[in-house]
Amino acid sequence: DIVLTQSPDTLSLSPGERATLSCRASQTINNNYLAWYQQKPGQAPGLLIYGASSRATGIPDRFSGGGSGTDFTLSISRLEPEDSAVYYCQQFGTSPYTFGQGTKLEIK
Amino acid sequence: QVRLVQSGAEVKRPGASVKVSCQAFGYTLTNYHVNWVRQVPGQGPEWMGIINPADGNTNKSPKFQGRVIITRDTSTSTVYMEMSSLRSEDTAMYFCARVATGVKGFVYWGQGTLVTVSS
C-alpha cells in the first residue's frame, strides 16, 4: 500500500496568513492522482483539489495544490475563520486508494 | 441533483454482521463506480473498496478481503456493504462516495452510517 504522510499534524495561524500543508507518499503516485479534502466536524470530507492541482467546482482560488511524484502541497492563502478544519490527502494512482492521517488547521 | 442516501445507524455485538445500504438519486447507478470509505472517530478516512454497478465487479483493500462483501441492486439503484465478524475496532462512520466525470476525487458522498460494535 502507498503510505501518505501529512505534515504538520496541527497548524495554528491567524486570519489573513497563508497555510502550507504537506503530503508525502511512500512511492510515486501514478499520473499525480492526488486529491485534497477539507473535513469539518460531523460532515463528510469535501473535495478541494484533484489531480494534484485542479480545483474542484466551487472552490475559491485561495486554495491551490502543487507537487508531483511523491511530494505534494496544499496552500491556502488569506486564511479565513471558516478554513478551520482537518485536511486530508488521498491518492488514486494505485489501489488501495489510501488517505493521509490529516492536518488540523486552527485559525487563531 | 446527485444524492447518495445511506441507511441508518446500527448497533451490533462483536462477531455479528452489518449491512449498510447506499441508494443513488439523480443519476443512473450503472454509469459510475461506487466506493466505500470508513472513518474511525478521531482518525483519517480509510478506503475500503469499490464496485462497478454495471457488472457487479469489485475491488477491495486487502485489509478487508474476506470480511467485506460489496453488492448492488440495479432495480433499486442501491449499493450494499456487508461486513462480518465485527469487532470493537470496526466502530466507525461508514460512507459511500463516487467521483464525477473527469475528476479523480470523491465529489459526492453519502451522509454516513454510524456502526457501533459493543457488547
Side-chain angles (χ1 to χ4, degrees):
Chain A
D1 297 7
I2 294 178
V3 176
L4 299 180
T5 302
Q6 294 186 239
S7 61
D9 289 334
T10 304
L11 192 55
S12 185
L13 295 169
S14 298
E17 291 190 306
R18 180 183 188 88
T20 301
L21 288 63
S22 172
C23 176
R24 177 162 291 177
S26 60
Q27 55 189 279
T28 296
I29 295 176
N30 292 333
N31 301 303
N32 293 323
Y33 284 155
L34 191 286
W36 289 93
Y37 299 87
Q38 176 192 70
Q39 188 176 33
K40 297 183 178 180
Q43 297 181 13
L47 182 66
L48 297 171
I49 301 288
Y50 64 94
S53 60
S54 298
R55 271 187 298 277
T57 300
I59 302 303
D61 59 9
R62 297 189 300 109
F63 293 84
S64 61
S68 64
T70 60
D71 289 295
F72 299 87
T73 58
L74 173 69
S75 296
I76 312 170
S77 62
R78 305 185 301 280
L79 284 170
E80 300 178 0
E82 68 197 45
D83 298 330
S84 289
V86 181
Y87 292 82
Y88 295 100
C89 56
Q90 182 196 15
Q91 65 83 20
F92 279 89
T94 304
S95 178
Y97 304 133
T98 46
F99 287 83
Q101 86 283 6
T103 291
K104 184 177 183 179
L105 175 60
E106 299 174 335
I107 309 300
K108 290 182 283 191
Chain B
Q1 72 280 23
V2 174
R3 284 191 306 139
L4 298 172
V5 179
Q6 298 183 224
S7 49
E10 302 265 11
V11 179
K12 296 291 182 182
R13 301 290 191 199
S17 297
V18 69
K19 192 170 186 177
V20 180
S21 68
C22 170
Q23 189 170 18
F25 295 91
Y27 76 99
T28 301
L29 179 72
T30 52
N31 286 349
Y32 294 89
H33 294 42
V34 175
N35 297 261
W36 286 94
V37 174
R38 80 172 183 182
Q39 189 167 27
V40 173
Q43 296 186 18
E46 183 174 28
W47 183 81
M48 301 175 67
I50 186 171
I51 185 168
N52 178 357
D55 59 15
N57 284 341
T58 62
N59 175 27
K60 286 170 281 188
S61 169
K63 178 173 180 177
F64 298 102
Q65 288 282 1
R67 210 160 66 91
V68 166
I69 299 172
I70 303 174
T71 56
R72 93 294 192 212
D73 181 345
T74 55
S75 68
T76 60
S77 294
T78 304
V79 171
Y80 299 91
M81 187 284 298
E82 183 172 16
M83 180 180 284
S84 58
S85 303
L86 289 167
R87 31 198 188 243
S88 59
E89 311 90 87
D90 295 317
T91 293
M93 187 72 80
Y94 290 77
F95 295 97
C96 57
R98 55 149 277 208
V99 301
T101 302
V103 177
K104 281 285 190 180
F106 295 146
V107 175
Y108 303 104
W109 293 74
Q111 82 276 20
T113 297
L114 179 62
V115 175
T116 303
V117 183
S118 174
S119 54

